[in-house]
Amino acid sequence: MLEFFASNYALNLLILICIYVILSVSLNLIIGYSGMLNLGHAAFFGIGAYASALLALAGYPYWICFIAAVFFAGLGGAMIAYPSLKLRGDYLAIATLGFGEIARAVMKNWVSLTRGPLGLPGIPKISFFGLTLTTKFQFFIFALIIAILVVLFVSKIVKSPFGRVLRAIREDEIAAQAIGKNIKKYKVIVVITGAACAGIAGSLFAHHITFIDPTTFTLMETILIVCMVVLGGVASIRGSVIGATILVLLPEPLRFLGLPTSMAAALRVMIYAALLILLMIYKPNGIFGEWRFRHAKSKEAL
Amino acid sequence: MKNYMILMSILLITILVVGCAPTEMQPAGEETKEPIKIGFIGPLTGDVAPYGEGWRDGALLAVEEINTAGGINGRMLELVPEDGLCKPKDATNAAQKLIEIDKVQAIVGGFCSSETLAVAPIAEEAKVVLMSPGSTNADITESGDYIFRACPSDALQGEIMAIYMYDEGYREVAIMYANSDYNLGLRNVFSKKFTELGGEIVVEQNYEQDAKDMRTQITKIKDAAPEALYLVPYPADGTIILVQMKELDVDLPVFAPESMCVDKVLVDSGEAAEGMVVSTPTFDEAAPKTAEFLQKFNDRFGYKPELTSYSANAYDVVYLFADAMKQGHITGTEIKDYLYTVTDYTGAGGKLTIDENGDAIKELILMRVENGEFVDLE
Amino acid sequence: MLKVKKLYKHFGGVKAVDGCSFEVEKGAIVALIGPNGAGKTTVFNLITGFIEPDKGKVLLYNKDITGMAPYRISKEGVSRTFQIIRLFPKMTVLENMMLSMQNVYENFWLSMLPLKQKKLHEAKMVNDALELLKFVDLEGKKNALAGNLSYGQQKLLEMAKALASEPELLLLDEPASGVNPTMLKKITNLLKELKKKGKTILFVEHNMDFVMKIADKVVVMDGGEEIAEGPPKKIQKNKRVLDAYLGKVIKIKRRKKK
Amino acid sequence: MGIAAQLIINGIIAGGIYALVALGYTMVYGILRFINFAHGEVFMLGAYLGWVFNILLGVNVIVAGVLAMLGCAVAGFVIDKIAYKPLRGRGMLPPLITAIGISLFLQALAILIFGAQIRTFRTGEVVRGITIPFIDAIITKIQIVIIIVSVALMVALHFYIKYTKTGKAMRAVADNYEVASIVGINPNKVISYVFIIGSALAAAGGILVGMEQNLTPTMGVSIGIKSFTAAVVGGIGNIYGAVLGGFMIGLIENIGIWFIPSGYKDAIAFAVLLFFLLFKPTGIFGVKKGEEVSV
């Protein structure tokens, strides 16, 4: 069995799990703990990936690429900070969805910078202080450490007094303002932090797959991350980690069901979608969920 | 905080074991009578599925034929198709699975250049041959020794058409292309060559690959009144453009790469394709092997593949793999060395020679559409 | 301490507040009464910055706080309760209390660092919170979720919460409404206690004998403007106040019989 | 003059389709405050059903259209009953994820049943468009049909909403879900009607696009997002807003790419969306829906 874990196939999945854990935990910080329904997470994932890849291809050492990924993704977060303050619930979801699509259109059409649909091949391996991550196993260890750090960072935020205020804002913005909390400042910080973490995941993704193009950072990618958060349980860090793990692994066993070749791919998507629907009907709060995302401030959920 | 960390890692590992448990271990087993597996990576769902399906069935047809004819020295051949979705993440997942679990030594695919470019380093590292029947992106040429392709790099196609159009006396030309890797690649090469020759690109329009309404782009081209149009679409959107051009009374001489050298385009666009000049590797559907392939394809699957030349290429790639294996070259490295020796292989996709960095040299010919049929030009 | 000068607020045609002015002296308990729709709650929202006044000034210790953001007014030492109770239902009673307290460690970076003073401060806050909860005898409920308390208990919690930030001025929006008599007595005693501690309170209320018992001064509003101001006794006899509440006495001319 | 007129005609044709599909989004959102992400796939299903009846079974195109609309109406009804009904009142996220699950499911189903090949209604020879006199823009017969049919359906919907009993019930439930149920309107029945009508209209849009262009399993995705944007721009929850929003997005898109690189065509629709959301979140016709501070 151990030989299986060393195989690149398993390591590839483990690395993807680390990347998607970072994405789902950071999105949960925005959706679960601060009540801001953000459907633009893949855009920050993409900005981080492109920033890191472009600088790496230009020969910069990895730690500069990493910081650039975090910085530019955070900058992206700052851009949607304004709508995040002004809009609530569905409207915020729609606005961030729009932002995500515009970001992807820029990635696809700003050919001089991103080579557009041709993408960026040959992204160099990660190396810092003379150590180069050549094998997939080394990369996995690096990704695991980063993932654990991000999860600790986010759970620290959530358990700290800062996090307590976040949950208060999620519960009732009016009451939070009345007791002297500057909700604008808190929301902006959360949106930028969440986006910056997505940038980290972007950097890891770029150097792992070594080729990125706009087709990866679509609305469906954000939806996948939202599903991980909802499946795992809104406002539960453990939930997001488990949600990410399940949804990365879910399609894999379907490959081995020996479906008739002509229908295999389509059937796989159908089974995946059916499982998603059933999970939502029978476990709408997600596995660890304890907070249900209600409509703006109407007392009962509609 | 400490116990939380332990809990989290234990959970992570247990989910992993559960998630991957059902994978049966498949030893390579040269001697045993197990079938030899070859992989296939291509877009079977998502936007590019209409073409992926035809390419997979082309490869499937070849595998079935080889097996009916006795397989590889008695051992059956098995195609393991995986869905690449034209996306790097899914293509790498598929490649890792094929290489690690199915222990394939050769893979047919990827189709979209994004798939091939993502899988290339993995295949190179695992010393597994990756031969793409359809990725024309120029970057693939230097992407590795184990990386081949059965279609010419777009460098050739773009240049030939630029030269031809220049010689025909066109100086002010428009380009219209779908906003994806194959099309942008060809557009770059074409415009570089055409401007080098002294021509001028007066207007350029692109569109999302799944777009249906290109009327405004066509109106913009009509407004710039170019002498000719170099159109770089996929067959589906190409058909719509030809139709909409006719509807909008825009009769410009149209030039296109092999993606338009497809019978279905002629049928679906009515007479709108009349007079179109297409550059394509020697793939005339009348050639014996090609016609036979199309006939067998239709008998077996009951439809005509969208991008016929690429389905034929997939068919040829499987046969090339089979020829190598028949001569005892089983491992990826052996197949690789054999492939470099392939010259003037006449397959369903026309005559093919593989050059030193794994690209296919195929003579490119020009054809024109005359009363609903592709006819050879000079 | 609190001066409200010529406040105007019109929602479209509705003149919710139409030139209202009154004053709340330090240490005084002032009741703001008037028929429904007189603009009482709107004045509350104008003072606490949730709604911007069209015209007029709100001064706290002669500092102009008109139109400041609600959280900054709260920081100036003004805390309030709401007509419809606004607690954090999914958070514990203790958390609700601690959220209202001044806590420098709620800053993003400070809250992350494992500082000793932070732990001390956290512990101190818990003590202060428990003390206040004892004051409103909700101490036993400290770990219960605020949403699970009874209506009366939530009223008390909301008041305790407002007190937690040691405000200069306490604004209570109908503290006595919808509470059973025993709870009403508790609230009355609570206010008396606060009066002894010299707290300044402005509250909106309909329950007249509660107002008469508690208030030092009464401000009466009708139709968006204040029509009378003074000690409760005097206000009871004020003609304009009676008209506002009981409606105008209209002489009906009898037509002479033919 | 010709070019400008042509752009406007292009905009109106595209707008007609967006409006038809936007109506489905707006009606469902008006009542359930829920974005039915699977609506785009119902549009695709309509196109394929129309193709099956018309091309495979040789039924006349109008009858095929009606049959397809009925088929999609049933599909919409079934989707609501199976997937959305159990999640009523479960907050916003679970229904959102379920809708996405259904849209993926339908796309894969389409690939399985109809195969991934590109289909088209077009059989006859492509004929040159008719030049509209004195503004010399070109429009084809099918495009004229598209505009007429889409406007006709919208007018029909207007009368249905205004004058029929269920129409009034729909408006009541949209206005206030609880009060409507107290007054004796069965909200579930009304919700089913909304899904039936919304899906039928989307099917009509699907057939019209299918006739004019071609069919692929993923055709519903981009049209879905655009029409949804139109519904929001017009004022989510308001029927007339959806129609206006549809034509607006169609026009802005087509006129927009005259000035900026055409690769940004989709991005224009989203830029308009962001503009409206930030400065006029209720859209053009929308009514303020309890969003402000109810202190």
Side-chain angles (χ1 to χ4, degrees):
Chain A
M1 206 41 165
L2 199 59
E3 174 260 331
F4 168 78
F5 277 110
S7 76
N8 283 343
Y9 170 59
L11 284 172
N12 176 47
L13 291 175
L14 288 173
I15 292 166
L16 282 180
I17 288 173
C18 294
I19 291 173
Y20 278 98
V21 159
I22 296 173
L23 285 169
S24 70
V25 164
S26 56
L27 185 61
N28 205 346
L29 175 65
I30 299 175
I31 291 185
Y33 287 93
S34 333
M36 292 187 282
L37 187 50
N38 178 334
L39 293 184
H41 216 47
F44 310 131
F45 182 37
I47 293 170
Y50 267 96
S52 186
L54 285 169
L55 287 177
L57 286 168
Y60 287 90
Y62 180 68
W63 61 274
I64 293 181
C65 308
F66 185 87
I67 291 169
V70 173
F71 174 73
F72 284 107
L75 208 62
M79 276 198 282
I80 63 155
Y82 178 69
S84 308
L85 301 179
K86 218 164 124 44
L87 302 173
R88 306 234 185 313
D90 298 350
Y91 290 122
L92 178 59
I94 306 160
T96 45
L97 183 143
F99 171 77
E101 289 300 308
I102 291 176
R104 196 166 58 83
V106 168
M107 275 185 226
K108 210 166 185 183
N109 288 289
W110 189 354
V111 180
S112 55
L113 176 70
T114 63
R115 284 168 35 99
L118 291 175
L120 299 173
I123 300 166
K125 291 201 183 308
I126 292 179
S127 68
F128 44 88
F129 326 130
L131 168 72
T132 320
L133 304 178
T134 43
T135 69
K136 280 276 179 255
F137 188 74
Q138 287 167 340
F139 192 99
F140 165 58
I141 298 299
F142 177 72
L144 185 63
I145 292 166
I146 301 279
I148 290 174
L149 287 177
V150 169
V151 168
L152 287 180
F153 174 61
V154 171
S155 48
K156 197 88 177 72
I157 294 175
V158 162
K159 291 190 173 50
S160 68
F162 178 88
R164 192 164 54 214
V165 174
L166 273 189
R167 276 182 288 133
I169 293 172
R170 175 192 68 191
E171 297 275 321
D172 187 335
E173 284 189 14
I174 314 297
Q177 280 182 333
I179 53 171
K181 303 306 173 199
N182 176 359
I183 58 171
K184 282 193 168 49
K185 194 181 77 178
Y186 281 90
K187 284 190 174 186
V188 168
I189 291 177
V190 162
V191 165
I192 292 179
T193 317
C197 294
I200 297 173
S203 171
L204 289 178
F205 182 81
H207 290 267
H208 168 52
I209 306 279
T210 71
F211 171 79
I212 50 169
D213 68 345
T215 59
T216 318
F217 311 108
T218 57
L219 173 62
M220 283 322 288
E221 194 72 19
T222 305
I223 302 291
L224 174 66
I225 304 167
V226 171
C227 291
M228 291 174 181
V229 170
V230 174
L231 173 70
V234 171
S236 146
I237 299 286
R238 259 177 312 160
S240 298
V241 170
I242 302 306
T245 311
I246 290 175
L247 286 190
V248 167
L249 293 179
L250 192 60
E252 294 313 314
L254 304 179
R255 285 187 204 275
F256 304 97
L257 291 187
L259 309 166
T261 43
S262 61
M263 298 192 283
L267 271 178
R268 233 178 103 211
V269 172
M270 271 175 82
I271 295 169
Y272 181 84
L275 286 174
L276 217 56
I277 297 167
L278 292 176
L279 278 172
M280 275 304 109
I281 291 177
Y282 294 108
K283 216 50 188 106
N285 286 354
I287 300 163
F288 293 99
E290 29 85 353
W291 187 79
R292 216 158 359 114
F293 199 90
R294 271 207 192 71
H295 262 277
K297 269 301 137 247
S298 61
K299 280 294 166 236
E300 51 15 89
L302 185 58
Chain B
M1 188 39 76
K2 219 167 83 24
N3 49 33
Y4 167 76
M5 263 310 308
I6 298 160
L7 164 79
M8 216 263 293
S9 24
I10 293 164
L11 275 177
L12 208 58
I13 303 301
T14 39
I15 294 285
L16 273 177
V17 170
V18 166
C20 302
T23 56
E24 358 83 14
M25 292 296 97
Q26 185 64 41
E30 262 82 353
E31 305 73 30
T32 56
K33 280 291 161 241
E34 245 133 70
I36 307 171
K37 290 191 177 184
I38 53 172
F40 168 93
I41 299 176
L44 301 174
T45 54
D47 294 345
V48 194
Y51 311 109
E53 216 173 51
W55 301 331
R56 179 204 53 212
D57 293 346
L60 211 54
L61 184 65
V63 167
E64 281 162 6
E65 273 174 22
I66 294 164
N67 284 343
T68 40
I72 313 278
N73 317 340
R75 280 181 68 194
M76 286 302 120
L77 197 59
E78 183 191 340
L79 184 77
V80 183
E82 289 297 341
D83 188 357
L85 277 147
C86 224
K87 291 192 173 161
K89 179 181 73 161
D90 306 88
T92 39
N93 273 357
Q96 297 283 18
K97 180 248 175 185
L98 290 172
I99 295 168
E100 301 282 331
I101 310 293
D102 301 301
K103 300 270 189 264
V104 298
Q105 290 304 311
I107 299 175
V108 179
F111 274 87
C112 305
S113 305
S114 51
E115 288 171 337
T116 313
L117 283 167
V119 171
I122 297 166
E124 188 74 14
E125 212 182 313
K127 296 203 177 357
V128 163
V129 165
L130 177 73
M131 189 158 188
S132 160
S135 308
T136 58
N137 186 315
D139 300 332
I140 292 168
T141 311
E142 309 90 22
S143 54
D145 308 340
Y146 285 77
I147 315 304
F148 299 82
R149 48 180 162 190
C151 59
S153 141
D154 46 30
L156 268 64
Q157 285 218 47
E159 269 168 28
I160 285 163
M161 193 50 98
I163 297 160
Y164 176 73
M165 284 174 81
Y166 193 81
D167 295 349
E168 290 296 302
Y170 296 109
R171 291 300 174 274
E172 286 167 4
V173 162
I175 305 181
M176 185 162 179
Y177 60 97
N179 206 357
S180 12
D181 45 31
Y182 162 71
N183 323 66
L184 186 61
L186 276 172
R187 173 246 167 222
N188 291 348
V189 170
F190 175 86
S191 65
K192 186 158 138 308
K193 188 69 183 175
F194 193 71
T195 37
E196 260 167 31
L197 293 168
E200 192 207 342
I201 314 285
V202 281
V203 66
E204 265 190 79
Q205 287 296 298
N206 61 12
Y207 54 90
E208 282 304 305
Q209 191 231 325
D210 58 8
K212 298 266 189 269
D213 169 9
M214 278 70 95
R215 269 187 291 276
T216 301
Q217 283 98 329
I218 296 169
T219 318
K220 221 169 165 182
I221 289 175
K222 179 177 172 182
D223 186 48
E227 292 161 350
L229 170 68
Y230 184 52
L231 178 61
V232 192
Y234 283 102
D237 29 287
T239 315
I240 297 178
I241 291 172
L242 291 177
V243 164
Q244 287 176 354
M245 273 170 69
K246 180 127 196 238
E247 286 168 357
L248 291 166
D249 192 17
V250 174
D251 47 20
L252 275 172
V254 175
F255 299 82
E258 78 215 294
S259 58
M260 288 298 268
C261 180
V262 171
D263 275 356
K264 206 164 188 310
V265 169
L266 303 187
V267 170
D268 289 352
S269 59
E271 278 67 35
E274 204 51 33
M276 174 171 70
V277 173
V278 177
S279 71
T280 170
T282 47
F283 178 74
D284 73 36
E285 311 215 336
K289 267 210 154 197
T290 317
E292 185 202 334
F293 162 72
L294 290 173
Q295 185 51 41
K296 280 187 274 178
F297 192 100
N298 210 337
D299 301 345
R300 169 69 177 74
F301 299 105
Y303 71 92
K304 189 139 191 282
E306 290 295 324
L307 276 169
T308 12
S309 67
Y310 291 168
S311 300
N313 288 349
Y315 179 83
D316 293 346
V317 167
V318 170
Y319 265 98
L320 283 172
F321 286 163
D323 295 350
M325 289 182 193
K326 278 195 180 108
Q327 296 166 20
H329 308 291
I330 295 292
T331 67
T333 318
E334 288 162 347
I335 300 172
K336 174 200 76 157
D337 300 338
Y338 169 82
L339 287 174
Y340 278 116
T341 64
V342 165
T343 44
D344 294 339
Y345 171 84
T346 45
K351 219 133 66 47
L352 165 71
T353 310
I354 294 184
D355 67 12
E356 70 289 354
N357 37 31
D359 280 350
I361 306 163
K362 279 190 173 176
E363 299 146 37
L364 280 160
I365 55 161
L366 298 176
M367 300 170 95
R368 181 197 299 276
V369 176
E370 268 145 30
N371 38 56
E373 265 171 12
F374 287 106
V375 167
D376 279 0
L377 224 49
E378 5 86 321
Chain C
M1 169 168 182
L2 173 76
K3 290 196 191 66
V4 169
K5 284 203 177 114
K6 289 267 169 285
L7 272 181
Y8 285 85
K9 182 64 193 178
H10 299 171
F11 295 109
V14 173
K15 293 190 177 57
V17 173
D18 201 12
C20 161
S21 314
F22 60 87
E23 233 186 285
V24 176
E25 294 72 20
K26 180 127 181 50
I29 294 195
V30 175
L32 187 60
I33 64 167
N36 280 334
K40 304 190 292 298
T41 304
T42 315
V43 166
F44 248 45
N45 294 335
L46 289 172
I47 294 171
T48 50
F50 281 98
I51 304 177
E52 294 257 344
D54 301 340
K55 268 190 305 194
K57 281 264 176 298
V58 176
L59 304 172
L60 187 69
Y61 290 112
N62 290 329
K63 180 175 181 231
D64 185 348
I65 57 165
T66 327
M68 263 161 78
Y71 78 91
R72 288 191 35 235
I73 292 179
S74 158
K75 282 212 165 56
E76 290 292 329
V78 176
S79 70
R80 66 169 296 179
T81 62
F82 294 90
Q83 204 172 2
I84 317 132
I85 290 182
R86 278 186 180 272
L87 293 169
F88 303 120
K90 280 256 174 319
M91 295 171 88
T92 66
V93 167
L94 200 54
E95 277 175 332
N96 270 272
M97 292 296 291
M98 289 164 72
L99 274 162
S100 310
M101 295 176 180
Q102 300 301 347
N103 181 356
V104 74
Y105 296 103
E106 276 162 4
N107 159 295
F108 180 71
W109 299 109
L110 288 176
S111 77
M112 300 286 288
L113 305 173
L115 303 166
K116 208 160 68 48
Q117 307 95 313
K118 186 179 83 159
K119 289 198 179 50
L120 288 176
H121 185 70
E122 195 85 359
K124 178 180 170 303
M125 285 206 296
V126 170
N127 289 338
D128 297 350
L130 287 177
E131 221 179 89
L132 272 168
L133 287 176
K134 237 186 259 127
F135 186 64
V136 288
D137 0 317
L138 281 175
E139 208 207 340
K141 293 277 182 190
K142 65 178 165 63
N143 293 331
L145 290 184
N148 301 346
L149 298 181
S150 74
Y151 180 75
Q153 285 166 333
Q154 286 188 1
K155 274 260 175 197
L156 286 173
L157 176 59
E158 200 179 21
M159 244 181 270
K161 204 172 97 138
L163 287 168
S165 50
E166 285 131 19
E168 297 287 323
L169 169 66
L170 189 59
L171 300 176
L172 304 176
D173 201 336
E174 296 189 24
S177 72
V179 232
N180 59 45
T182 44
M183 196 57 80
L184 185 60
K185 237 166 113 325
K186 258 193 189 171
I187 292 173
T188 320
N189 296 343
L190 179 63
L191 286 185
K192 283 201 176 106
E193 281 294 316
L194 293 175
K195 187 165 167 32
K196 274 206 214 78
K197 285 191 179 148
K199 285 280 177 202
T200 319
I201 298 174
L202 170 69
F203 67 98
V204 166
E205 194 39 67
H206 285 291
N207 180 331
M208 275 315 141
D209 46 30
F210 176 84
V211 166
M212 293 311 157
K213 230 184 286 166
I214 293 293
D216 305 334
K217 185 171 97 172
V218 176
V219 173
V220 184
M221 277 184 74
D222 185 23
E225 54 174 347
E226 114 278 353
I227 54 172
E229 192 176 330
K233 293 283 170 293
K234 208 152 112 323
I235 291 299
Q236 270 179 337
K237 301 188 193 57
N238 180 311
K239 188 172 169 321
R240 283 186 69 190
V241 171
L242 294 174
D243 292 353
Y245 266 93
L246 310 174
K248 297 242 171 350
V249 176
I250 309 152
K251 293 202 174 33
I252 304 155
K253 292 194 191 61
R254 279 194 185 67
R255 249 182 292 110
K256 291 193 183 50
K257 283 202 184 50
K258 290 233 171 23
Chain D
M1 177 48 197
I3 298 296
Q6 186 61 58
L7 293 183
I8 291 165
I9 297 289
N10 297 351
I12 290 168
I13 298 161
I17 306 290
Y18 292 148
L20 273 178
V21 181
L23 284 169
Y25 280 110
T26 252
M27 287 162 77
V28 166
Y29 186 86
I31 290 183
L32 293 174
R33 298 289 179 284
F34 152 63
I35 308 162
N36 178 10
F37 265 94
H39 194 57
E41 270 55 49
V42 170
F43 166 86
M44 173 267 290
L45 209 59
Y48 271 96
L49 285 179
W51 176 76
V52 164
F53 291 121
N54 184 279
I55 305 293
L56 289 194
L57 311 178
V59 168
N60 139 315
V61 82
I62 294 165
V63 173
V66 172
L67 289 173
M69 285 169 79
L70 289 176
C72 281
V74 167
F77 176 76
V78 164
I79 290 173
D80 169 50
K81 284 293 171 266
I82 297 175
Y84 298 150
K85 191 149 186 339
L87 289 173
R88 290 271 202 272
R90 284 277 172 68
M92 273 199 294
L93 277 177
L96 187 74
I97 307 294
T98 316
I100 290 147
I102 292 167
S103 109
L104 280 175
F105 189 87
L106 290 178
Q107 279 175 38
L109 194 68
I111 292 179
L112 273 185
I113 300 172
F114 306 110
Q117 281 72 42
I118 290 129
R119 313 285 181 200
T120 173
F121 280 72
R122 193 173 310 100
T123 42
E125 189 248 355
V126 172
V127 76
R128 213 177 66 74
I130 308 140
T131 319
I132 306 168
F134 61 80
I135 54 163
D136 88 52
I138 296 165
I139 187 165
T140 64
K141 276 214 259 2
I142 300 176
Q143 287 154 1
I144 297 172
V145 165
I146 288 176
I147 296 175
I148 293 168
V149 167
S150 44
V151 170
L153 286 174
M154 288 171 217
V155 168
L157 183 68
H158 161 72
F159 284 110
Y160 178 84
I161 293 284
K162 221 147 187 70
Y163 300 110
T164 63
K165 207 160 75 58
T166 31
K168 291 200 190 81
M170 258 184 233
R171 275 184 288 136
V173 173
D175 204 349
N176 192 321
Y177 191 95
E178 299 76 22
V179 168
S181 13
I182 299 163
V183 159
I185 299 171
N186 168 358
N188 285 325
K189 201 158 72 63
V190 166
I191 290 167
S192 310
Y193 271 97
V194 161
F195 272 98
I196 287 169
I197 295 170
S199 308
L201 289 175
I207 298 154
L208 293 173
V209 164
M211 285 205 297
E212 220 259 325
Q213 291 145 14
N214 60 19
L215 286 76
T216 54
T218 54
M219 70 195 279
V221 175
S222 77
I223 296 268
I225 296 183
K226 291 267 189 63
S227 312
F228 168 70
T229 307
V232 171
V233 164
I236 192 84
N238 178 305
I239 310 283
Y240 313 104
V243 172
L244 182 82
F247 284 107
M248 248 186 81
I249 294 286
L251 285 169
I252 292 175
E253 224 179 30
N254 280 293
I255 295 167
I257 54 170
W258 188 258
F259 305 105
I260 60 168
S262 48
Y264 286 99
K265 185 175 184 190
D266 290 353
I268 295 174
F270 291 113
V272 169
L273 171 70
L274 270 181
F275 172 80
F276 267 92
L277 282 176
L278 288 178
F279 304 111
K280 186 124 185 16
T282 58
I284 302 166
F285 282 160
V287 81
K288 209 95 177 93
K289 249 197 255 12
E291 284 302 328
E292 8 40 9
V293 174
S294 51
V295 169

